[in-house]
Every structure is written in C-alpha cells, then in structure tokens.
C-alpha cells in the first residue's frame, strides 16, 4: 500500500513574504485554493491578488499563499485534521452553510491536492493558474532535485516532463539565486508539464 501524500508549503527564498498579501508558513498543508477566486473578479485584483491567482497554493492553516509545494507523506490523522481545519475556515471565512457541507467540500479539496502528489516525496510542484473563456484553469509542473536522489538540499532543480505538451524547460540554480536574485534562471530546451 502506497503512503498517503499531500502538498506542504516550502519557502526556498523570502519572496513569498512580499509577493503575497499573506504567505503560507513553511510546512503547512496546502490545497490549490482556486475556490477563492471568482472568474468575474479576476480583472479587478490588485498586484498581490493577481500573483496569488497566477501562482499561489493556499495554506490550510494560515489561508496564506505559497509559490511552491513539496510532496510530503501524511498520516491518516494529519489528513483528517487538515480536512477539519479547512472545513472550519470554509464556515468561518467563506460562509459555508454548516460544518457538514463544509467538510464535504474540504474533503474534495484535500483529495484533489493528494492527486497532485503522485510523485516521490520531496518533489516540488509549481502551479500556474489562468482565466480562459471565463473559466479558471490550473496547470502544474514538477521540479525534481538534480543530483540528489533522496531529495535533500534543494540546491538546483530543473523542470522534468511528467505528462503534457511541449514547451520551454527552465533550470534554476538556487545557490546563485540566493546570492543574487537576478541570477539563477537559465532557459534550456525541453518539456514542461501541463497536468490539468
């Protein structure tokens, strides 16, 4: 039986703390959070709202945003606690009619988040959200640590094909990026993932 997995917030640099109105805390469980966006209101979002719309995963505990998610093993108890916490937010923050209804919606969101984690633990996931023909569309790419099979260190990543269409591949040198944010991105030919 394969381990249960969910996406967790990870912060590789401080950018989330200033590009989002509220950043998710490293280590908290994530869902995509697309349910927070009304397609009719996307054009009216401010800069931080647009950034959250384009690339943010929603932190279940903080209701803050994370640019990256890391695939992490989760116990059944942790998964149930995440569902309960998200359901509580759906009632308190979004006006869900009752806890039972909110719990069903939260369980669906958690199940979808778990479906994104069909990768080895420590794989990073990036999200790109767009508005197309009045509907919100999500695309996901995986970032695999290079040269470190156990996934530790997160020193350098490249986009790897999981499934999807052809497109540019990007390589990121996080050590160089940490020293100088203008450095670190080197386009290379390859594929991207569009798992939607």
């Amino acid at each position: 039986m394969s381990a249960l997995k969910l996406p967790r917030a990870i912060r590789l640099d401080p950018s989330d703390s200033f590009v989002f109105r509220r950043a998710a805390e490293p280590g908290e469980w994530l869902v995509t959070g697309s349910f927070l966006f009304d397609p009719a209101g996307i054009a009216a979002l401010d800069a931080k709202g647009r950034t959250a719309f384009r690339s943010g995963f929603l932190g279940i505990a903080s209701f803050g945003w994370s640019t990256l998610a890391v695939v992490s093993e989760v116990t059944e108890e942790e998964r149930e606690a995440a569902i309960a916490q998200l359901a509580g937010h759906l009632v308190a923050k979004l006006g869900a009619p009752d806890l039972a209804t909110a719990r069903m919606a939260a369980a669906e969101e958690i199940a979808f988040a778990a479906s994104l984690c069909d990768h080895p633990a420590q794989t990073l996931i990036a999200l790109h959200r767009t508005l197309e023909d009045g509907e919100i569309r999500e695309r996901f790419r995986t970032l695999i640590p290079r040269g470190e099979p156990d996934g530790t260190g997160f020193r350098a990543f490249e986009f790897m094909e999981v499934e999807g269409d052809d497109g540019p591949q990007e390589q990121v040198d996080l050590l160089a990026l940490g020293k100088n944010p203008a450095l670190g991105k080197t386009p290379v030919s390859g594929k991207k993932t569009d798992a939607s």
Side-chain angles (χ1 to χ4, degrees), residues 119-182:
H119 304 288
Q122 303 303 313
T123 300
L124 297 185
I125 305 170
L127 162 64
H128 181 66
R129 198 182 280 113
T130 56
L131 185 65
E132 298 176 17
D133 299 322
E135 293 186 2
I136 294 173
R137 182 177 169 107
E138 298 170 324
R139 293 177 176 88
F140 302 92
R141 296 188 289 183
T142 56
L143 295 86
I144 311 290
R146 290 189 313 155
E148 303 203 27
D150 65 353
T152 59
F154 293 110
R155 290 187 310 169
F157 302 87
E158 63 183 357
F159 290 96
M160 303 292 286
E161 179 184 12
V162 175
E163 56 185 63
D165 59 358
D166 290 341
Q169 187 178 43
E170 186 176 35
Q171 196 170 41
V172 181
D173 182 344
L174 296 175
L175 290 177
L177 189 59
K179 293 174 186 169
N180 181 351

Side-chain angles (χ1 to χ4, degrees), residues 105-124:
E108 286 180 20
E109 289 296 322
I110 297 285
F112 181 72
S115 76
L116 301 175
C117 295
D118 189 21
H119 304 288
Q122 303 303 313
T123 300
L124 297 185

Side-chain angles (χ1 to χ4, degrees), residues 50-62:
R50 284 192 304 272
T51 301
F53 172 73
R54 275 194 313 268
S55 61
F57 286 94
L58 181 67
I60 292 172
S62 66

Side-chain angles (χ1 to χ4, degrees), residues 58-112:
L58 181 67
I60 292 172
S62 66
F63 251 48
W65 299 98
S66 180
T67 301
L68 292 173
V70 60
V71 174
S72 303
E73 291 187 5
V74 61
T75 66
E76 184 61 38
E77 293 77 19
E78 288 172 321
R79 189 183 73 83
E80 287 298 318
I83 291 171
Q85 189 169 40
L86 182 56
H89 283 311
L90 295 179
V91 171
K93 297 180 185 298
L94 301 178
D98 55 65
L99 198 54
T101 303
R103 187 170 176 77
M104 287 192 307
E108 286 180 20
E109 289 296 322
I110 297 285
F112 181 72

